[in-house]
Amino acid sequence: MPRVDFELNMPKSAYSVLIGESLAEFSGPLSSALSGRKALVLTDGGAEAALGALTALLDENGLAYALHLMGKGEGAKSFDSLLSVLDALLEGGFTKSDVIINLGGGVVGDLGGFAAAVYKRGMNYINMPTTLLSMIDSSVGGKTGVDLGGIKNAVGAFHQPSLVLCACANLKTLPERELRSGFGEVLKYFCISASPIMERSLREGGVTPALIEECCRVKRDFVQNDVHDTGARRILNLGHTFAHALEAASGFGILHGEAVCMGLYSEARFAVSLGLSSPAVPDRIAELASAAGLCCTLPKGIAKSACELLIHDKKNSSGNIEMAFISDFGKPFLHGVSVDTAAKFLASEGE
């Protein structure tokens, strides 16, 4: 499997995203990034093989590191977990020139990235995503954060990683449901870009470096031009206005990618009801979701609670939300709607 390397050139920083088969392929870049520095390896214990490969690589190269184990799942993305990481950094004598390595899925990356953003007013971190969802989405772009009061990412910061290393071998050990969940984000990127590579993967179920690269490149184009999510980058929230509310309403029993799929379908139907899109769009989303083994239908009894959570959406401004929609595949746009209108539609989807 050939390694894929590409760059994200941010206004004040640049970093590489490297995509290969195994962590061993990244020995050179990792050694260079950690030269003369200590690393705190943050993980939730869910990627044992990846952790073994990483520690072996660090030992072989004589690189200094310490391990910190956090809890699993969205519930671990809390201030208690954050304080535990910060305590480990302080007690371990880590300086702002040292590095956090986030080994795991999106929860690990979000928490570790936020710890890196606030520890001594900012230190470097490296993302080593081990899930499909984190490889194609959350590991790139610099959004970090923790949950508060049941609201996802209610507290956070923009802080870019210094390096992203994606070892596709880690996907072979993912539970089937976790892998399938990742295709919810693939579906989002297909809606935005109409990429043939993404459509083929949704229909056939295959994951290749080319798929990961394609998703990351689409995200890169939005992130580089709108680092702080004030304009066009909000296109990447397609499906997420409803998805985040559904996730939280389920007590995070619905996986993120599963919620994104439901959000994409319901928001597409919402766009149709507003006269902004064709009924063919949600129909095709449902077809591709089914091919990928994902469900578009909302679980019974969840819509009402999700509606109540919409008011806490980070995009809510004076009772209005700027939502991302598509008029057709590859044709995204932003459109403001009232929170009440969005909530009423979401409630109707659960009937």
Side-chain angles (χ1 to χ4, degrees):
M1 178 185 293
R3 200 177 88 185
V4 176
D5 303 359
F6 69 95
E7 297 287 318
L8 273 86
N9 296 305
M10 314 302 290
K12 295 183 179 180
S13 64
Y15 57 94
S16 298
V17 178
L18 311 182
I19 307 165
E21 176 64 18
S22 69
L23 279 178
E25 296 177 40
F26 308 133
S27 178
L30 186 60
S31 294
S32 177
L34 296 180
S35 179
R37 300 176 175 88
K38 287 194 302 184
L40 182 75
V41 178
L42 178 66
T43 186
D44 63 3
E48 291 183 16
L51 179 59
L54 174 59
T55 54
L57 196 60
L58 294 172
D59 289 336
E60 287 169 12
N61 287 280
L63 299 168
Y65 68 94
L67 294 177
H68 186 79
L69 185 66
M70 60 176 283
K72 293 182 180 179
E74 192 70 27
K77 209 165 78 177
S78 65
F79 273 94
D80 285 343
S81 294
L82 173 65
L83 288 173
S84 178
V85 175
L86 296 176
D87 283 341
L89 290 167
L90 194 61
E91 292 170 7
F94 285 81
T95 71
K96 67 179 293 131
S97 65
D98 292 322
V99 180
I100 297 177
I101 298 177
N102 298 320
L103 181 73
V107 169
V108 175
D110 283 356
L111 180 72
F114 188 53
V118 298
Y119 183 70
K120 299 197 174 180
R121 296 197 177 103
M123 64 185 295
N124 287 337
Y125 70 101
I126 295 171
N127 277 333
M128 291 189 177
T130 59
T131 66
L132 176 59
L133 198 149
S134 58
M135 286 184 187
I136 66 173
D137 189 63
S138 62
S139 65
V140 173
K143 281 188 176 180
T144 71
V146 294
D147 302 342
L148 179 65
I151 307 301
K152 188 166 181 174
N153 300 322
V155 179
F158 290 96
H159 188 51
Q160 302 294 333
S162 55
L163 183 64
V164 178
L165 304 175
C166 301
C168 294
N170 292 325
L171 301 178
K172 296 175 182 176
T173 61
L174 271 186
E176 182 181 345
R177 186 184 174 196
E178 285 280 357
L179 186 63
R180 202 165 53 236
S181 172
F183 278 96
E185 286 286 357
V186 175
L187 181 55
K188 178 196 79 175
Y189 282 115
F190 174 73
C191 289
I192 292 170
S193 67
S195 162
I197 292 174
M198 296 178 200
E199 181 171 20
R200 184 165 58 251
S201 293
L202 286 163
R203 292 190 183 281
E204 299 176 2
V207 179
T208 63
L211 172 67
I212 297 168
E213 179 189 17
E214 186 89 341
C215 292
C216 288
R217 284 187 185 277
V218 172
K219 183 166 189 177
R220 178 192 64 181
D221 292 343
F222 285 96
V223 170
Q224 287 184 160
N225 296 315
D226 181 17
V227 176
H228 295 107
D229 204 19
T230 59
R233 180 174 177 169
R234 293 185 177 183
I235 292 291
L236 298 173
N237 290 322
L238 185 72
H240 284 59
T241 299
F242 287 173
H244 281 164
L246 292 167
E247 259 187 292
S250 73
F252 299 103
I254 299 175
L255 298 181
H256 180 68
E258 295 170 340
V260 168
C261 181
M262 296 172 193
L264 288 169
Y265 178 70
S266 292
E267 289 183 20
R269 284 169 51 83
F270 186 29
V272 173
S273 75
L274 296 171
L276 301 173
S277 187
S278 159
V281 170
D283 288 348
R284 191 175 181 195
I285 288 174
E287 178 209 346
L288 289 170
S290 177
L294 291 164
C295 178
C296 292
T297 306
L298 272 59
K300 289 186 180 297
I302 199 174
K304 182 179 178 181
S305 296
C307 291
E308 294 170 356
L309 291 166
L310 276 180
I311 193 171
H312 296 292
D313 190 284
K314 294 183 295 298
K315 302 181 295 300
N316 183 355
S317 176
S318 301
N320 291 290
I321 298 179
E322 189 176 45
M323 291 182 65
F325 295 112
I326 58 171
S327 58
D328 200 352
F329 295 86
K331 296 180 179 179
F333 63 95
L334 296 171
H335 182 78
V337 299
S338 74
V339 174
D340 286 345
T341 301
K344 286 178 182 176
F345 184 84
L346 183 56
S348 71
E349 289 286 271
E351 293 177 353

